Amino acid sequence: MDLEEIKTFLAVARLKNFTWAADELHVTQSTVTSRIKNLERFYGQHLFLRTNKKVDLSPFGKEILPLFEQQLKLIEDSKKIARRFQSERKRIRFGITYSLWDSRFTDWVDRLAGTDENLRFSFHADHSHIIVDEVLGGRIDIGLVYDGPEDAEIKKETFGEDTFFLYCARNFQIKRKLGPGDLNTLPLIYLNRGRTFEHWFRQEFGEEYVPFVEVGHSQALLEFVRNGKGLAFIPERIVQLSGEKMFFKKLDYEPRHKMEQQPIHLIYRKTAVQDELIARAIQCVKEIFRKKQRQHSPPKMAVE
């Protein structure tokens, strides 16, 4: 027994005519007859009493009619739920660590939206560990973070690397080479960029070092430095993308310990690529970012 047989039984019961039922269902009369016979074989009972002039429900047919009506309603309701889920699936949820927002995401949205006018997007900015938790929980489809997780359910791909330079405002009066000792007397604005950067910073300045100002967002860091309130280690990528490069000056800093590049990771659940839409979104973001990287050939990221 299938859905079309249920619909056929209900149409014949309502119209009391095989020909009219066939017209309504856009099938041949022989198809209607075949479907009714299949149902009768399934139940081992006649569903209709047929004469040359009319078609009436049999006593058995009358008793199961409300059950068939209810069954069809349940099927249609379940299809509505499936359509709702399908509609929700057309929203791609991207999580980004605060510092990793990039104007190229607008290109990514444009390209994907061009393939489906009903596609919708949401971006969620937060700290790396929050983004990781949201990806694990299925509340974010794709994440871009500094500290990628070591989890069997998560696919982690190195997406790029950030390197930090010491910056100050353009009018900040420092011309000499600086070292770790100088930052004990100069105001340092600090933002934790992830495990690699944090490890280097504590090696460089010691566990007891307290910066002048600690912030939680790249924009706040840029504003403090631009307004001449202190110095900060900032990825060159962020200064370039800020559109305010002319307000910043890169300082000559000689580190005590070599700073390793801070990896940037693209993360998503391994099962996510089973969804064609998410797989396409992941491939698209890789293509756009790598294409721009080849075009602009950014400098090697290393502390000066």
Side-chain angles (χ1 to χ4, degrees):
M1 180 172 58
D2 60 28
L3 178 59
E4 296 307 316
E5 290 173 349
I6 294 172
K7 288 182 176 180
T8 300
F9 168 75
L10 292 173
V12 174
R14 176 167 44 82
L15 298 171
K16 300 184 184 301
N17 187 290
F18 275 58
T19 301
W20 295 350
D23 290 342
E24 181 176 282
L25 297 170
H26 304 292
V27 297
T28 63
Q29 183 174 334
S30 62
T31 298
V32 171
T33 300
S34 175
R35 289 174 180 175
I36 296 301
K37 285 182 178 179
N38 286 341
L39 286 174
E40 289 178 335
R41 280 195 295 269
F42 180 81
Y43 287 110
Q45 299 286 337
H46 289 294
L47 298 175
F48 296 98
L49 302 175
R50 282 160 278 196
T51 67
N52 291 332
K53 294 184 178 180
K54 63 178 181 177
V55 176
D56 286 322
L57 283 167
S58 69
F60 176 74
K62 290 178 181 178
E63 188 159 341
I64 69 168
L65 175 63
L67 299 179
F68 270 51
E69 291 173 334
Q70 183 179 10
Q71 188 171 0
L72 181 62
K73 182 180 184 304
L74 290 172
I75 292 172
E76 293 301 329
D77 287 347
S78 68
K79 288 168 66 177
K80 289 179 182 178
I81 293 173
R83 285 194 294 270
R84 175 169 60 82
F85 269 78
Q86 185 178 18
S87 174
E88 290 178 354
R89 176 67 283 157
K90 285 185 174 291
R91 182 167 65 110
I92 302 176
R93 303 162 299 179
F94 207 115
I96 311 173
T97 298
Y98 291 117
S99 305
L100 295 179
W101 171 260
D102 191 300
S103 60
R104 286 172 287 187
F105 280 113
T106 59
D107 297 336
W108 177 75
V109 168
D110 284 344
R111 182 183 293 188
L112 285 174
T115 66
D116 187 345
E117 63 180 11
N118 296 315
L119 194 56
R120 298 295 181 265
F121 304 85
S122 67
F123 287 92
H124 176 72
D126 215 316
H127 298 290
S128 288
H129 70 279
I130 300 296
I131 300 299
V132 170
D133 287 344
E134 294 292 284
V135 170
L136 275 169
R139 295 175 291 277
I140 285 177
D141 300 307
I142 311 168
L144 197 63
V145 298
Y146 277 130
D147 294 329
E150 299 297 334
D151 191 288
E153 296 183 17
I154 296 292
K155 174 70 173 178
K156 179 178 71 172
E157 300 184 40
T158 301
F159 199 67
E161 294 169 322
D162 264 347
T163 302
F164 300 85
F165 296 92
L166 186 62
Y167 282 93
C168 67
R170 179 65 63 183
N171 59 0
F172 210 91
Q173 298 302 311
I174 297 180
K175 296 183 179 180
R176 60 187 174 85
K177 180 180 290 188
L178 301 177
D182 296 300
L183 297 189
N184 288 319
T185 57
L186 292 170
L188 183 69
I189 316 300
Y190 174 79
L191 172 61
N192 186 349
R193 299 285 182 173
R195 285 191 293 264
T196 301
F197 176 76
E198 171 71 5
H199 176 71
W200 171 83
F201 188 87
R202 291 305 167 191
Q203 273 191 320
E204 188 79 352
F205 300 105
E207 294 293 335
E208 303 303 318
Y209 180 82
V210 179
F212 175 56
V213 175
E214 184 169 350
V215 297
H217 195 285
S218 288
Q219 189 58 41
L221 186 76
L222 290 173
E223 288 180 7
F224 270 104
V225 175
R226 184 186 61 218
N227 293 327
K229 304 304 179 184
L231 321 179
F233 289 99
I234 311 174
E236 186 168 32
R237 173 186 57 84
I238 290 179
V239 175
Q240 296 279 357
L241 292 172
S242 71
E244 300 178 333
K245 182 182 177 182
M246 71 289 295
F247 298 113
F248 294 88
K249 179 169 63 177
K250 189 187 295 185
L251 296 169
D252 190 0
Y253 180 77
E254 185 173 348
R256 182 182 296 119
H257 299 87
K258 179 183 178 182
M259 181 192 290
E260 300 295 332
Q261 294 174 336
Q262 172 68 59
I264 300 169
H265 295 117
L266 185 72
I267 63 171
Y268 49 90
R269 291 178 66 90
K270 291 180 179 177
T271 55
V273 293
Q274 296 173 7
D275 186 315
E276 187 274 336
L277 175 60
I278 300 302
R280 182 154 46 93
I282 292 169
Q283 183 60 32
C284 183
V285 76
K286 291 179 184 178
E287 290 173 358
I288 286 177
F289 276 73
R290 287 171 182 169
K291 178 180 179 181
K292 291 293 182 71
Q293 286 168 356
R294 288 194 298 269
Q295 288 176 346
H296 296 292
S297 298
K300 289 288 184 179
M301 299 177 179
V303 173
E304 292 185 338

